[in-house]
Amino acid sequence: MRYGDVYLAGIGTYLPPVASADDAVAAGRYSADEHRRNGITGTPVAAAAETPPEMAVTASKKALAAAGLRGADLELVLFGSQWDPQHGVPAAYVHHAVGGRPDVGTLEVRQGCSGAVTMLDLAARHLRTTPGGGAVLISTADRFCLPSWDRYSSDEGYIWGDAASALVVTSEPAGIARLVATATHSFSAAEEVCRGSILLDAERGNLPLLMRGHKQRFYKKFGPLSFRREFQHAVRDTATRALAEAGTGAGEVAWALVPNMGLQWRGWALLEPLGVDETRTTWTDHGRHIGHTGLADQALALEFLLNRGALQGGDRVLLLAVGIGLTFSAAVLEIV
Amino acid sequence: MSGSNGTGTRTTDDRPHYAEVRDVIAELLAITPQRVEEIKSFSEELGTDSIVMIELLVRLERRFGVDVSEDNLPKLVSLDAVYAVTAERAGWGNGR
């Protein structure tokens, strides 16, 4: 979808203190072999008392302040998370905490780690059909905690970090960037990886979750190399369509903000199909130092580039996210 | 004594199907049979990831009619290790 009048007016994040991956290996919590193959140096770990909706509110208040708006200015409050077993209605919690109006809806998007980029598209569509436009809050937060999710071993190829992010999207020219285009791709044959019930797993003593086992069984059934080809095709297709809608050539992308996937995957899974190298991602100076923060990777990377002064007016930035399902979402931003 | 396989490439190891297991690996990783025998760690020396190793399981299962669980993935670091797992599942001698 191509957009002409949707803007990113504010960004806010919340990043707990980073715990060293070397320390996790020394403590026997993280495989030394996976550490070597992934190249992730550490990851943010939230305090036990913190919940994802609270973290999302911290990020949301920063984003609203950056946009110069109040909660009462919002026309929609969105929330997404990969792992939040702690609150039944997190979008309502965020709406209440930021002071949203009662005539404004709340919505939770359960699309895993592609959720933030998908919500960017949902927000833009909402603004397009809202008389007079307005502002939408996109909030995300994850806390990958035991006993259900072991950040170091539940899945491979990543270390899962705790973080929150928020974007305020408006129909008025403002702030950081203009949303130029979006695209999505569904590889729903892979949904079976996420079938099941956390309650049943708990009853059967199958916690912490072993996502890697579910995935490996699926790869075997689908055909491992076929899965890899399908994944690469999905990444390439999502990005290609978003860039085509944006009228942007692949070589014109200043930065590609992709998931902080470890080195054992990111070459074939992200860089190769996108046709970029790490000089156009934030991996080297940023991503590998925090690992995969669920839905927050792209917002944290954007904020990192903004704080570093690495973005110029007119730069086109590609956001590419991959979530359970599998779902692939892309957005093209133009820095203002 | 040395074994051989369908391609005529010989090996100094005479265990049953050793050369065949080696050649399944060689074809998958697109390296020579000799190189397969030399490698101590597929992941360290070739950067082989778990998806490729699951493909190896699938090919071994198809070739030798055995069922090899993905739980064995961490063990599959070298030809000898792959052979031991396959031989154990297939009942080839003691797998040594």
Side-chain angles (χ1 to χ4, degrees):
Chain A
M1 179 74 79
R2 183 177 175 84
Y3 297 100
D5 52 359
V6 177
Y7 295 85
L8 178 55
I11 182 169
T13 63
Y14 171 68
L15 198 68
V18 172
S20 154
D22 285 340
D23 289 350
V25 171
R29 290 205 58 204
Y30 187 38
S31 153
D33 179 55
E34 291 195 19
H35 184 28
R36 177 184 56 75
R37 287 191 284 147
N38 287 324
I40 297 165
T41 67
T43 201
V45 177
E50 291 181 296
T51 71
E54 291 171 322
M55 294 158 64
V57 167
T58 300
S60 296
K61 287 180 176 175
K62 290 182 188 174
L64 283 165
L69 296 172
R70 301 168 304 133
D73 297 320
L74 298 170
E75 298 300 328
L76 179 66
V77 173
L78 299 172
F79 177 87
S81 180
Q82 166 67 29
W83 198 246
D84 175 22
Q86 295 157 300
H87 201 301
V89 282
Y93 182 92
V94 174
H95 174 275
H96 180 66
V98 301
R101 300 195 316 270
D103 63 324
V104 164
T106 67
L107 187 67
E108 181 182 1
V109 172
R110 292 187 63 189
Q111 197 154 300
C113 303
S114 64
V117 181
T118 298
M119 288 191 282
L120 203 50
D121 183 66
L122 283 179
R125 289 171 193 259
H126 187 79
L127 290 174
R128 181 172 273 183
T129 57
T130 300
V136 174
L137 173 65
I138 297 167
S139 62
T140 84
D142 280 294
R143 179 168 167 248
F144 299 98
C145 54
L146 294 169
S148 56
W149 192 299
D150 188 327
R151 69 180 74 254
Y152 297 108
S153 69
S154 279
D155 199 2
E156 66 178 331
Y158 303 96
I159 300 179
W160 297 79
D162 305 336
S165 71
L167 303 174
V168 174
V169 179
T170 67
S171 54
E172 296 295 322
I176 301 161
R178 181 172 71 87
L179 175 64
V180 188
T182 61
T184 192
H185 182 112
S186 295
F187 174 16
S188 55
E191 59 75 30
E192 68 181 65
V193 169
C194 293
R195 282 183 209 160
S197 155
I198 184 84
L199 289 176
L200 207 56
D201 283 332
E203 282 178 15
R204 292 174 175 171
N206 290 340
L207 296 182
L209 291 173
L210 276 178
M211 288 290 289
R212 69 173 66 209
H214 297 313
K215 287 183 175 179
Q216 288 166 357
R217 280 187 286 282
F218 173 71
Y219 299 154
K220 204 169 169 185
K221 177 178 163 188
F222 191 82
L225 300 187
S226 298
F227 169 81
R228 175 177 289 195
R229 282 192 293 273
E230 195 66 33
F231 192 104
Q232 290 180 311
H233 165 71
V235 168
R236 193 179 296 113
D237 177 65
T238 314
T240 300
R241 287 193 288 112
L243 290 170
E245 290 272 358
T248 303
E252 297 173 288
V253 173
W255 293 93
L257 308 186
V258 298
N260 297 327
M261 192 181 272
L263 289 171
Q264 68 164 316
W265 301 100
R266 59 190 292 113
W268 70 260
L270 300 171
L271 305 184
E272 189 182 316
L274 290 175
V276 301
D277 61 27
E278 299 290 17
T279 62
R280 284 201 282 165
T281 78
T282 57
W283 170 255
T284 304
D285 293 333
H286 167 72
R288 73 189 182 98
H289 300 301
I290 59 171
H292 182 37
T293 58
L295 284 68
D297 278 1
Q298 287 74 23
L300 284 165
L302 183 60
E303 186 182 58
F304 169 78
L305 292 174
L306 289 166
N307 289 343
R308 181 176 261 207
L311 296 170
Q312 317 291 325
D315 278 353
R316 294 267 168 125
V317 179
L318 173 68
L319 280 58
L320 187 286
V322 184
I324 53 174
L326 288 168
T327 54
F328 300 76
S329 297
V332 179
L333 301 178
E334 182 179 82
I335 303 302
V336 298
Chain B
M1 184 176 173
S2 62
S4 66
N5 61 63
T7 63
T9 307
R10 303 183 72 79
T11 170
T12 54
D13 196 306
D14 62 355
R15 283 176 285 181
H17 306 288
Y18 190 84
E20 292 167 76
V21 170
R22 179 200 61 189
D23 291 350
V24 169
I25 298 171
E27 184 182 12
L28 173 64
L29 302 182
I31 57 177
T32 64
Q34 184 184 351
R35 180 87 179 100
V36 174
E37 293 187 11
E38 294 165 353
I39 289 175
K40 298 285 183 279
S41 167
F42 297 126
S43 72
E44 283 189 31
E45 295 176 52
L46 301 177
T48 309
D49 66 26
S50 61
I51 288 184
V52 173
M53 296 314 286
I54 296 170
E55 176 69 20
L56 176 61
L57 290 185
V58 171
R59 293 188 184 195
L60 292 169
E61 289 183 345
R62 200 179 299 145
R63 176 68 177 268
F64 300 110
V66 294
D67 179 21
V68 186
S69 165
E70 55 278 5
D71 294 342
N72 289 296
L73 282 173
K75 299 179 192 167
L76 307 183
V77 297
S78 64
L79 169 58
D80 276 347
V82 172
Y83 181 80
V85 168
T86 312
E88 191 272 330
R89 297 300 300 159
W92 300 332
N94 59 11
R96 262 195 293 167

